[in-house]
Amino acid sequence: MIYVSSAISCTMTSSQSSAYPKEVVDPHHHFIDTATTSFQAFLRSAAGGDVSCLPEDYARDVIEPLSKLGIKFYGSVHVEAMPDSGTEEVAWVEKMSAAGRCTYVKAFVASCDLSDENVDDELQKLTKSSPKLRGIRWIVDCVGKFQGGKTATHVATLRHDGIDYLKSPKFERGLALLEKYNLSFDLQCAPIQLVESAAALFAKHPNLKVCIDHLGKPRTILGDDLLEDGTSINPNVIPNENELEVWRKGMKAMAANKNVYVKLSMMGYAIPGWFRTEERQTVLKSLVREVIDMFGAERCMCAWNWHVNGAVSDADGLSKVGPDAVELLEIFMWFFEGYDQEQREKLFSGTAKEFYRLE
């Protein structure tokens, strides 16, 4: 199969269509409503205005289209979206679930600043806030100053002036507490951090389950989506080998730690605009398969990262195009050509179930 997009069509054979996974777990999505919540002030500031993605939006955009293909939607994992209070965010989603709006949310990855002096107290509050709490995320992407998004430093680190938490003894102290509460850690960082600190840090905590978010976040390995004129598609298909080498070294070091898993998600951060051309899709396919080769299907999981729309979910602002939920499913099916049914089921549901203890 060659998947070609431009708002584009995808041609799949009947045998490929029948190979759809029996069920899907989405281990990474976000609910947002900055206009009405009291705990999303930082997120609203970072977004430059109000943004929204509510349970009904997610059901319409992700669950219903996948279900129409005959796929069982087993459930999802709600991942923190930079809230001012992790406990308030969990309580908000639980309230919506109790009202019947998102009973499909089976687990939470909550926000908690693990470097905080009162981290133990905060973790206690979080564990009491929901029996579905499975993990913690504190975004740590940092390669220096944020510089308005021009670097791989994430806007989230502006909460504490761009500190590289992975080198902080206070952060490690909090990280070590996660085992006490039977919680995992979602790691979102830049590739250079995988090399310089993450691999060694998590090797020191072999009983702590860790999931690397978003492929380990290689950044724009083929350059920007569009050329400087703002309308012409960037034709480059030759990867930035320096960026890839740093990423590859870090991911291999992380893969050596058997407690570390990976989410196959937000691929447009690695290749903005991959959705536009067959050639860029082919480069992305090789990148994803390289990750699976490193970690094995039993430590990789497909994730939709859904919030706002397909472009935002896919590229985090680096492109104005991206796949919808079904298009992403079908591109995954193409990526996984040659994998057996057991491997595909792990990638679409089994690994996520095991990692987040959904059964």
Side-chain angles (χ1 to χ4, degrees):
M1 179 189 94
I2 294 295
Y3 185 100
V4 185
S5 131
S6 74
I8 297 182
S9 61
C10 172
T11 303
M12 298 186 71
T13 67
S14 58
S15 62
Q16 287 167 326
S17 297
S18 65
Y20 281 143
K22 296 177 182 177
E23 64 179 13
V24 162
V25 171
D26 183 4
H28 197 113
H29 72 89
H30 312 286
F31 293 148
I32 299 168
D33 190 15
T34 58
T36 65
T37 59
S38 61
F39 56 85
Q40 294 181 329
F42 175 79
L43 176 59
R44 185 182 189 281
S45 174
D50 286 323
V51 289
S52 176
C53 182
L54 291 169
E56 295 77 15
D57 303 317
Y58 180 80
R60 179 197 64 227
D61 294 338
V62 179
I63 299 176
E64 292 170 12
L66 295 179
S67 298
K68 287 179 181 178
L69 299 176
I71 299 169
K72 175 185 176 183
F73 189 84
Y74 184 88
S76 72
V77 179
H78 183 273
V79 177
E80 63 90 20
M82 301 185 294
D84 306 329
S85 166
T87 54
E88 289 186 46
E89 182 184 55
V90 170
W92 176 61
V93 179
E94 282 286 52
K95 183 177 180 180
M96 291 191 290
S97 182
R101 297 176 63 187
C102 53
T103 55
Y104 51 80
V105 173
K106 304 295 186 184
F108 290 100
V109 174
S111 175
C112 182
D113 181 355
L114 296 179
S115 70
D116 191 272
E117 293 293 338
N118 299 314
V119 62
D120 201 354
D121 292 340
E122 184 62 23
L123 289 172
Q124 286 186 45
K125 290 178 185 177
L126 281 166
T127 55
K128 292 176 181 177
S129 68
S130 172
K132 301 174 191 172
L133 186 69
R134 294 293 184 271
I136 295 297
R137 183 171 78 158
W138 187 255
I139 295 174
V140 296
D141 313 33
C142 185
V143 295
K145 294 182 178 180
F146 177 60
Q147 296 181 13
K150 296 178 182 179
T151 73
T153 293
H154 195 278
V155 65
T157 62
L158 292 180
R159 292 179 290 192
H160 294 280
D161 299 325
I163 294 170
D164 186 349
Y165 285 90
L166 297 179
K167 296 179 180 179
S168 165
K170 288 183 178 180
F171 183 83
E172 184 174 2
R173 179 183 68 87
L175 190 73
L177 288 172
L178 297 183
E179 287 185 56
K180 171 182 174 181
Y181 294 101
N182 194 25
L183 297 174
S184 62
F185 183 71
D186 262 51
L187 172 66
Q188 182 176 315
C189 70
I192 190 64
Q193 293 172 284
L194 296 174
V195 175
E196 292 184 346
S197 49
L201 174 61
F202 293 109
K204 292 166 63 178
H205 301 275
N207 296 319
L208 172 65
K209 280 192 172 182
V210 178
C211 189
I212 302 170
D213 288 347
H214 310 321
L215 290 180
K217 297 196 73 176
R219 180 181 170 93
T220 58
I221 64 169
L222 297 181
D224 294 334
D225 176 12
L226 302 175
L227 298 179
E228 289 185 3
D229 64 15
T231 58
S232 302
I233 297 172
N234 183 349
N236 179 48
V237 292
I238 301 174
N240 180 330
E241 287 300 327
N242 290 332
E243 176 74 14
L244 271 185
E245 185 55 34
V246 172
W247 168 82
R248 187 173 288 122
K249 182 178 179 181
M251 292 293 278
K252 286 181 177 179
M254 293 295 282
N257 298 326
K258 299 305 180 183
N259 55 321
V260 178
Y261 295 59
V262 185
K263 286 178 184 172
L264 311 176
S265 56
M266 209 173 81
M267 297 178 290
Y269 189 85
I271 304 179
W274 65 267
F275 193 62
R276 297 183 190 274
T277 71
E278 173 186 324
E279 292 79 12
R280 286 197 160 201
Q281 291 166 20
T282 300
V283 175
L284 183 58
K285 179 178 182 178
S286 68
L287 196 71
V288 170
R289 290 177 73 100
E290 183 175 355
V291 171
I292 298 170
D293 285 345
M294 289 182 200
F295 288 83
E298 68 278 5
R299 289 196 283 152
C300 293
M301 59 187 93
C302 300
W304 272 252
N305 189 40
W306 199 262
H307 59 295
V308 185
N309 57 45
V312 174
S313 303
D314 179 64
D316 200 25
L318 296 184
S319 175
K320 293 183 178 179
V321 298
D324 65 28
V326 171
E327 289 167 336
L328 184 56
L329 171 76
E330 291 178 341
I331 200 75
F332 278 138
M333 295 298 297
W334 176 47
F335 287 173
F336 304 154
E337 280 182 331
Y339 294 176
D340 61 32
Q341 187 67 19
E342 181 181 3
Q343 289 173 308
R344 290 196 298 270
E345 293 297 340
K346 287 178 180 177
L347 291 162
F348 283 114
S349 62
T351 300
K353 282 184 178 181
E354 184 265 324
F355 185 86
Y356 288 114
R357 297 176 282 122
L358 301 184
E359 292 184 314

